Amino acid sequence: MKKNRADAAPAVPAADLPDQLRDQLRALAALRDEEIDLTEMPEVRDWSQARRGPPSLYRPVKEVVTIRLDADVLHWFRDHAAGGRGYQTRINAALRAYMDQHRND
């Protein structure tokens, strides 16, 4: 039996999104399947990279910056990244975790 979107738990947009975007996401979530225009959406034929679970719709805007880090800190992140790739993402994640812990300070 095909599961209808109406049977799923209602999607609640993240609280840190701008009000306008949050309203748009709520309006989209309220649409019935028949009301969604799929004419410009290509058919997916390769599902090999598909992931289960709710999609992450929010992507923070990245900004290019120059920052001075202690050499040992930088080397540690580079050494712990696969092939030296992704160390900036790991540094960003560490900074985000710190920010989240101290958000209400």
Side-chain angles (χ1 to χ4, degrees), residues 1-59:
M1 181 168 103
K2 183 177 176 183
K3 190 171 185 176
N4 191 341
R5 288 182 320 121
D7 298 335
V12 179
D16 57 345
L17 291 177
D19 291 340
Q20 182 181 8
L21 182 56
R22 198 170 335 137
D23 293 343
Q24 290 174 352
L25 290 173
R26 282 197 180 108
L28 287 171
L31 290 174
R32 293 188 328 247
D33 288 348
E34 305 82 44
E35 297 174 315
I36 299 173
D37 179 13
L38 301 175
T39 56
E40 294 182 15
M41 180 181 286
E43 180 182 352
V44 177
R45 296 179 185 270
D46 179 14
W47 291 92
S48 63
Q49 300 297 315
R51 294 185 309 177
R52 290 183 62 146
S56 176
L57 298 177
Y58 174 66
R59 289 187 181 226

Side-chain angles (χ1 to χ4, degrees), residues 67-85:
I67 184 172
R68 293 180 184 271
L69 300 172
D70 292 340
D72 61 329
V73 171
L74 182 59
H75 289 293
W76 187 89
F77 275 96
R78 282 185 175 159
D79 289 345
H80 287 81
R85 298 178 53 90

